Amino acid sequence: MKNATENSSKINEGRILSLQGSIVDAVFPGKLPAINHLLKTKSEQPVFIEVMGQLNDKTVRGIALTPAQGLARGDLIEDTGSPIMVPVGEAVLGRMFNVFGEPIDNQPPPENLQKRSIHQSPPDLTQRTTHSEIFETGIKMIDLLSPIERGGKAGLFGGAGVGKTVLIMEMIHNMAAQYQGISIFCGIGERCREGEDLYRELQAVNILDKTVLVFGQMNEQPGTRFRVGQTALTMAEYFRDEAHTDVFLLIDNIFRFIQAGSEVSGLMGNVPSRLGYQPTLGSELAELEERICSTHSGSITSIQAVYVPADDFTDPAAEHTFGHLSSLIVLSRDRASQGLYPAIDPLQSQSKMLTPYIVGERHYEIAREVRKTLATYEELKSIIAMLGLSELTKADQKTVQRARQLERFLTQPLHVTEQFIGQPGKTVPLTETLAGCKQILNDVFADYPEKSFYMVGTIDEIKQPEGVEG
């Protein structure tokens, strides 16, 4: 009886004072709940609310993370005594979770797991690595022209049907095979169909056991979509700091995180800033992005799908996001229609890592020459369309030939598409990519037909045509 009395006295209870959509004000006569604490209503279907502000010494204001239908003024509510706590550890691999760390894959929850708050501080500057290092993906086009930084952030731009999901799955596959690392996919504002499709595809190519999926779906509350990124990051930080492994974090879509923050800010009654965005846009995005980094124990490398509203790169959401990215990977519908997969645009894609100081003089010079050749070919396309290839000068004809060979050499069969195209996937080391491009630029393969270069791995796989002696 004494224990029951002690337990009941420890519960910090209050009552709902007012309700405005997803915003809940609650009065606590005892101890005032701290910011970010999770509140839980004592109803048949509990509603979870995160404290966003303290209005006075007795009242807090929070936002509902689950549907608030059925709540009424005067309903009992209790402080759970902590922020959202999510499971971390090896047992989360191969599973799908929501913002609370609860499984949503129709399997029993993992047991005896350590739990951590989703609100963590970024590593101190003293704990971070100070040198830049390339994260090799094994995908020729990315490693050559838009190298990704280990512990950095890369933006992936692409509409529907250009191969964005396939590229993400290939990177997850290569992460597990090359680095023995962990991949975490975070779906912010994802459609239910997209989440289920990705889960089944990861199962089909046998890479689910090295992956964690975390979803805040499109139909869920703005507070859920605003916090699901922190849930995924907390799981990623465990593998980096405790398991000392490299972690690959994929976020789709980072714009929807900003959008959810704007909804939350509007619900809280904050005065909007430029173009209707929340005044705290910069600090909220930085709070998430600054946790993605390399430390002495491991790294979190992130690929983030980026939606640019109305293709306006001066939009505040795009401006703030670009400031955090070290690489931009742009997918092209035109290249996809030509069958040049992966359909990455070599002229629009870029990386801050592509400097002689970081990638080395040889890589920098070859990448610059490849881009120059492809850019010249792009300029000549209109002349070729009107007058034909024969009307170009001999030098321009040579440039066009090199460019078309390079375009095809920079395609490659992917592991995750083996069952669809019947061709084994290729992971190509950066050294082999550079060697192949250098030989093409030096006209070593001048007499070889273009089709010889299509969908090969290294340059050694190109078959010698009849009538050409080695």
Side-chain angles (χ1 to χ4, degrees):
M1 191 72 181
K2 182 181 176 183
N3 288 338
T5 308
E6 284 178 356
N7 288 336
S8 63
S9 64
K10 288 179 183 177
I11 298 173
N12 185 21
E13 283 190 352
R15 288 191 179 275
I16 293 176
L17 181 67
S18 70
L19 291 158
Q20 293 179 342
S22 296
I23 297 299
V24 179
D25 290 354
V27 175
F28 284 82
K31 185 182 176 183
L32 194 68
I35 301 290
N36 294 331
H37 268 207
L38 192 65
L39 309 181
K40 177 183 174 184
T41 61
K42 304 189 79 172
S43 50
E44 190 176 338
Q45 286 289 331
V47 176
F48 291 94
I49 298 151
E50 187 178 50
V51 176
M52 303 294 284
Q54 297 174 334
L55 302 183
N56 54 48
D57 59 349
K58 298 289 182 188
T59 313
V60 293
R61 175 166 290 172
I63 186 157
L65 303 179
T66 51
Q69 286 88 348
L71 292 186
R73 292 177 62 189
D75 283 358
L76 283 173
I77 189 169
E78 68 177 58
D79 178 11
T80 61
S82 68
I84 299 171
M85 304 291 286
V86 297
V88 294
E90 300 289 334
V92 301
L93 293 172
R95 304 297 303 273
M96 186 189 289
F97 298 95
N98 63 12
V99 68
F100 301 107
E102 299 168 343
I104 52 173
D105 52 7
N106 295 324
Q107 295 182 42
E111 295 180 356
N112 302 320
L113 276 182
Q114 178 187 344
K115 289 200 170 187
R116 283 188 179 183
S117 164
I118 66 167
H119 299 283
Q120 302 286 341
S121 300
D124 294 334
L125 288 175
T126 53
Q127 297 175 329
R128 302 189 185 205
T129 53
T130 54
H131 66 280
S132 295
E133 188 180 334
I134 295 296
F135 176 87
E136 277 194 47
T137 63
I139 298 169
K140 289 184 283 189
M141 185 74 88
I142 293 175
D143 292 341
L144 175 68
L145 297 176
S146 186
I148 296 172
E149 181 182 9
R150 185 173 181 267
K153 278 91 64 177
L156 182 64
F157 300 81
V162 294
K164 183 175 65 177
T165 303
V166 170
L167 203 55
I168 283 173
M169 285 169 54
E170 181 70 8
M171 289 184 185
I172 292 173
H173 176 277
N174 292 353
M175 181 67 177
Q178 280 181 267
Y179 294 89
Q180 284 76 49
I182 304 301
S183 297
I184 296 181
F185 183 91
C186 176
I188 303 177
E190 280 285 281
R191 298 168 184 85
C192 303
R193 170 187 58 78
E194 292 172 340
E196 188 186 16
D197 286 351
L198 181 65
Y199 183 83
R200 293 183 188 280
E201 285 165 1
L202 291 172
Q203 264 185 328
V205 295
N206 298 318
I207 51 177
L208 185 62
D209 60 337
K210 285 287 185 181
T211 310
V212 185
L213 301 169
V214 184
F215 283 98
Q217 296 170 27
M218 188 175 275
N219 63 320
E220 296 191 66
Q221 301 295 307
T224 296
R225 288 179 272 120
F226 186 54
R227 290 301 185 207
V228 72
Q230 276 95 332
T231 297
L233 258 171
T234 303
M235 294 179 178
E237 285 167 342
Y238 170 85
F239 289 108
R240 180 192 65 191
D241 301 333
E242 304 298 329
H244 306 295
T245 58
D246 289 321
V247 184
F248 196 43
L249 176 66
L250 300 120
I251 300 176
D252 188 8
N253 189 302
I254 197 65
F255 174 76
R256 294 194 193 121
F257 165 78
I258 294 170
Q259 205 171 34
S262 180
E263 289 180 54
V264 169
S265 180
L267 288 167
M268 292 294 292
N270 297 332
V271 177
S273 182
R274 187 159 67 102
L275 297 184
Y277 286 104
Q278 64 271 39
T280 51
L281 188 159
S283 57
E284 288 170 359
L285 185 62
E287 191 180 329
L288 183 77
E289 297 280 11
E290 287 302 303
R291 290 170 65 179
I292 302 170
C293 64
S294 284
T295 65
H296 299 295
S297 59
S299 70
I300 300 176
T301 304
S302 176
I303 298 279
Q304 305 174 8
V306 183
Y307 168 70
V308 181
D311 292 333
D312 178 13
F313 284 81
T314 63
D315 187 272
E319 275 185 350
H320 283 279
T321 304
F322 293 152
H324 293 279
L325 302 177
S326 54
S327 303
L328 304 180
I329 301 165
V330 181
L331 297 177
S332 162
R333 195 172 299 281
D334 181 50
R335 287 180 67 83
S337 66
Q338 296 175 49
L340 299 173
Y341 290 106
I344 297 167
D345 190 317
L347 300 179
Q348 291 194 57
S349 301
Q350 54 186 285
S351 172
K352 294 176 183 175
M353 303 295 288
L354 198 57
T355 63
Y357 174 72
I358 296 171
V359 299
E361 196 71 42
R362 182 168 181 266
H363 183 170
Y364 174 72
E365 288 298 335
I366 292 172
R368 192 174 70 165
E369 195 61 35
V370 166
R371 188 168 274 148
K372 180 183 174 183
T373 303
L374 294 173
T376 304
Y377 175 45
E378 197 65 34
E379 291 170 5
L380 294 170
K381 276 183 177 178
S382 56
I383 298 173
I384 295 168
M386 288 187 292
L387 304 175
L389 186 63
S390 59
E391 294 299 314
L392 298 178
T393 64
K394 292 291 183 185
D396 283 346
Q397 286 181 28
K398 277 285 185 188
T399 300
V400 170
Q401 183 188 34
R402 290 187 207 113
R404 291 179 68 85
Q405 288 180 347
L406 283 167
E407 277 189 334
R408 281 147 186 78
F409 175 65
L410 291 173
T411 63
Q412 71 190 84
L414 305 178
H415 293 88
V416 296
T417 59
E418 283 181 11
Q419 56 187 320
F420 306 114
I421 65 174
Q423 194 173 349
K426 310 280 186 184
T427 301
V428 184
L430 176 59
T431 52
E432 294 289 345
T433 302
L434 294 175
C437 291
K438 185 67 175 173
Q439 290 182 55
I440 292 171
L441 290 168
N442 289 341
D443 293 328
V444 174
F445 300 96
D447 298 320
Y448 283 52
E450 294 166 8
K451 63 181 180 182
S452 304
F453 299 84
Y454 183 66
M455 284 293 172
V456 297
T458 64
I459 201 77
D460 299 330
E461 294 175 30
I462 295 174
K463 293 178 180 177
Q464 188 171 293
E466 293 179 12
V468 177
E469 294 184 1

